[in-house]
Amino acid sequence: MKIHFVTSEALPFSKTGGLADVIFGLSSALCKKEISSIVVSPLYSDIDFSSFEKVCSLPITMNWRQLVADIYRTNINGVDYFFIGNDYYFKREKIYGYDDEIERFAFFNLSYIEMIKRLNIRPDIVSVHDWETAMIPLLLKHNNLNFKTILTIHNPAFQGSSHSGALYDYFNLPYEYFENGTCRFHDYFSCLKTGIVTCDVLTTVSKTHAKELLNDLVSFNGLGHIIKLRKKNFVGITNGLDYEEFNPASDEYIEYPYDLTTVFPEKQMNQDFLLDSIRFKKDGAVFGIISRLTEQKGLDILPLVIDKIIKENAKLIVLGSGQPQYERIIEGLSKKYPKNIFYYCGYSNSFAHKIYASCDFLLMPSRYEPCGLSQLVAKRYGTIPIVSNVGGLVDTVVPYRKEKAINKADGIVFDISKEEEFVKAIDLAFIVYNDKSTLKKLIKNAMNYKSSWNDTVVSYITLYKKIYFAFTWWRRYLRRPFN
């Protein structure tokens, strides 16, 4: 069985969020299970392709435009990576954030279709991700390429919306797809909606987020009503974690590696080292935030708990960047409380690992969170996540309640619909911090939690086999050739 992952980003070459981690982790895990995987992604400007093999250059027609896609290839851990290069579309400072976003990824989609027409890499299943590649199921059907497709929704807030003319102008598709409703959503053209109604199977990255989408519990312009049409072919599978990258026992970024048997006192030693490096005193609980600074992440309610953190002489270390208003909020707090709040604007992989290994608690007050990886990483490092009751956070954090036995509890969960509950969650965190026996039990529970891709990949393999064997039977029954 051959799986193609067509994606706008993929580690170890490009990343802005969890999508890149998922592509790398899942494709690598499938390879270990002897299932062939190919990853297809744009060749961005910061990717060093000097060692890549150039496969070919393909002519791409986009309406009146005559373009060229340069195809490169390399292999990482047994997974073939194919890159689609075009300096005009992809040799830019950032991965996303341009006015011609639809056109850029239309070129990428069309280039993939041309690749599988011309190269000997035909798939059994094509796995596409978010709006950037959601047009591929329709493009395959329109070009009479009978491959089964899976669309995975990682972040439904981004839908790839444009005017109806974009169908022909960018994708070479007739206007009738807009007229018959295939591509129409609220009187405009939506790439994500198109993918939802034309893929064979629809997935998202956690079971709870699947329920949220079906019931339209989070506002995405009524997308839930469209997803309900695919209810029988919609499933939530919680993401896994790359245990090789996130392993406190062998992490090259932390000063004192540790595992479940040596977490005490090595974790405290890592905390002391980090606090020394940012010139903070070694007293009180340490909270961390590693996040894009956006409305989605619930950072607007962070000021509610700052007074309590300062009163308890606790520390807050924030790593991230995003919307300017939230950057200003964090920057302002760090200047107001320079002995308690530290802010690193931007992203540093090494510093992120140090935060995971050193903090007592990780804050994730998300408004919505399809899956989330930070809570999984935090638990791997024995850092207690404090999370809102949404999406994958519900599926992956077992809540501690002081009135009940600890059992498998490994985090603190609060109701995001009630802002005062966030304050209560911080109160509970201080209770846990001051009760060392409870704190140690939660840390051990967190580190024992199973979240590797080796555990998660079984669900994907089951899904792939179901699709593959159903498709194989269909082809044989109709006696049609496999294109």
Side-chain angles (χ1 to χ4, degrees):
M1 190 161 38
K2 297 179 181 178
I3 314 295
H4 283 193
F5 294 94
V6 192
T7 174
S8 59
E9 57 184 85
L11 283 176
F13 300 102
S14 57
K15 176 180 176 175
T16 65
L19 168 59
D21 297 275
V22 171
I23 298 299
F24 178 78
L26 179 53
S27 62
S28 299
L30 287 170
C31 184
K32 292 175 183 177
K33 299 290 185 180
E34 299 184 350
I35 294 178
S36 176
S37 297
I38 286 177
V39 174
V40 184
S41 184
L43 184 64
Y44 297 114
S45 60
D46 59 351
I47 296 176
D48 180 5
F49 62 100
S50 58
S51 63
F52 295 179
E53 170 197 358
K54 184 170 183 180
V55 178
C56 64
S57 293
L58 298 176
I60 307 297
T61 298
M62 182 193 290
N63 193 353
W64 52 269
R65 307 165 187 83
Q66 297 300 314
L67 306 165
V68 175
D70 296 316
I71 311 300
Y72 294 86
R73 177 179 180 173
T74 192
N75 187 281
I76 300 291
N77 298 333
V79 177
D80 280 329
Y81 281 74
F82 283 81
F83 293 91
I84 295 173
N86 180 284
D87 286 354
Y88 176 74
Y89 289 123
F90 302 128
K91 197 170 184 180
R92 304 185 184 186
E93 184 179 351
K94 301 180 295 182
I95 293 179
Y96 310 118
Y98 299 97
D99 291 338
D100 61 345
E101 212 81 318
I102 303 291
E103 181 180 344
R104 296 174 69 222
F105 288 103
F107 170 80
F108 177 59
N109 287 200
L110 294 173
S111 299
Y112 173 72
I113 299 299
E114 202 64 26
M115 275 180 59
I116 57 176
K117 283 181 178 179
R118 293 173 178 259
L119 304 182
N120 187 29
I121 58 168
R122 296 201 165 195
D124 294 314
I125 297 172
V126 180
S127 174
V128 299
H129 300 263
D130 280 345
W131 78 263
E132 290 88 353
T133 53
M135 291 298 292
I136 287 175
L138 177 58
L139 288 169
L140 288 170
K141 289 177 170 64
H142 185 75
N143 285 274
N144 295 314
L145 296 168
N146 298 318
F147 306 121
K148 284 296 182 180
T149 56
I150 298 174
L151 167 61
T152 300
I153 300 174
H154 298 263
N155 194 336
F158 301 99
Q159 299 176 6
S161 302
S162 187
H163 56 88
S164 60
L167 264 176
Y168 183 70
D169 194 22
Y170 300 145
F171 293 96
N172 304 330
L173 292 171
Y175 185 72
E176 67 182 89
Y177 286 124
F178 185 82
E179 287 184 315
N180 66 21
T182 300
C183 304
R184 188 176 67 246
F185 188 48
H186 296 309
D187 293 325
Y188 53 81
F189 158 53
S190 167
C191 293
L192 184 60
K193 189 261 185 173
T194 301
I196 290 171
V197 300
T198 58
C199 69
D200 294 294
V201 174
L202 180 66
T203 72
T204 192
V205 289
S206 71
K207 293 180 180 179
T208 295
H209 189 59
K211 295 176 183 176
E212 291 172 344
L213 289 173
L214 279 172
N215 295 303
D216 219 25
L217 295 180
V218 184
S219 178
F220 298 115
N221 295 327
L223 197 66
H225 299 297
I226 306 301
I227 293 174
K228 278 185 178 179
L229 300 175
R230 304 304 315 277
K231 184 175 182 179
K232 292 182 179 179
N233 293 301
F234 180 43
V235 61
I237 302 176
T238 303
N239 285 338
L241 190 66
D242 184 351
Y243 270 27
E244 293 183 9
E245 178 182 358
F246 299 108
N247 184 357
S250 58
D251 193 328
E252 63 182 15
Y253 296 118
I254 65 176
E255 296 301 314
Y256 304 98
Y258 59 90
D259 58 22
L260 191 58
T261 63
T262 60
V263 60
F264 313 109
E266 277 81 356
K267 186 173 175 63
Q268 182 63 51
M269 293 164 63
N270 279 297
Q271 184 177 108
D272 291 346
F273 183 88
L274 177 61
L275 293 178
D276 276 342
S277 70
I278 59 176
R279 298 181 180 179
F280 275 9
K281 288 186 177 180
K282 305 171 189 176
D283 55 349
V286 179
F287 296 83
I289 294 176
I290 302 172
S291 176
R292 286 181 292 109
L293 305 184
T294 64
E295 182 179 1
Q296 174 202 342
K297 299 301 181 178
L299 296 176
D300 56 309
I301 64 172
L302 182 62
L304 296 176
V305 300
I306 294 301
D307 286 346
K308 193 170 293 292
I309 288 173
I310 301 304
K311 182 180 178 181
E312 295 290 339
N313 202 30
K315 309 297 186 291
L316 173 63
I317 302 172
V318 182
L319 169 65
S321 61
Q323 294 173 301
Q325 63 266 40
Y326 296 113
E327 290 184 359
R328 287 194 294 269
I329 288 174
I330 305 298
E331 181 69 29
L333 289 171
S334 68
K335 289 180 178 179
K336 185 176 181 180
Y337 304 106
K339 296 181 180 180
N340 297 83
I341 299 176
F342 179 87
Y343 176 40
Y344 184 112
C345 183
Y347 185 77
S348 163
N349 194 39
S350 62
F351 193 51
H353 281 243
K354 288 179 172 62
I355 293 174
Y356 285 125
S358 304
C359 287
D360 300 298
F361 303 95
L362 185 82
L363 298 181
M364 294 183 69
S366 302
R367 296 290 181 183
Y368 69 92
E369 194 68 62
C371 180
L373 292 177
S374 291
Q375 81 280 11
L376 298 178
V377 180
K379 294 205 295 182
R380 178 91 164 127
Y381 284 75
T383 296
I384 308 305
I386 301 175
V387 304
S388 55
N389 61 336
V390 297
L393 304 180
V394 172
D395 295 338
T396 58
V397 178
V398 182
Y400 167 69
R401 296 181 177 89
K402 61 182 179 179
E403 68 274 9
K404 295 185 178 180
I406 292 179
N407 295 326
K408 295 183 178 181
D410 55 22
I412 296 172
V413 181
F414 68 94
D415 185 351
I416 189 63
S417 68
K418 304 173 183 176
E419 293 183 348
E420 66 273 13
E421 294 298 317
F422 185 35
V423 178
K424 292 180 181 178
I426 300 301
D427 285 335
L428 182 56
F430 284 120
I431 292 172
V432 168
Y433 178 77
N434 292 317
D435 182 351
K436 298 307 179 186
S437 63
T438 298
L439 178 62
K440 289 182 178 180
K441 177 61 176 175
L442 291 179
I443 289 172
K444 289 183 177 180
N445 287 348
M447 295 183 72
N448 273 320
Y449 184 83
K450 303 299 182 185
S451 60
S452 76
W453 274 112
N454 288 334
D455 300 309
T456 303
V457 74
V458 175
S459 298
Y460 278 99
I461 291 174
T462 300
L463 179 63
Y464 295 151
K465 286 181 175 179
K466 181 179 178 181
I467 298 169
Y468 174 73
F469 288 117
F471 192 30
T472 302
W473 175 88
W474 178 83
R475 291 199 311 271
R476 289 175 179 172
Y477 180 76
L478 295 179
R479 296 183 179 178
R480 293 182 178 178
F482 188 70
N483 288 323

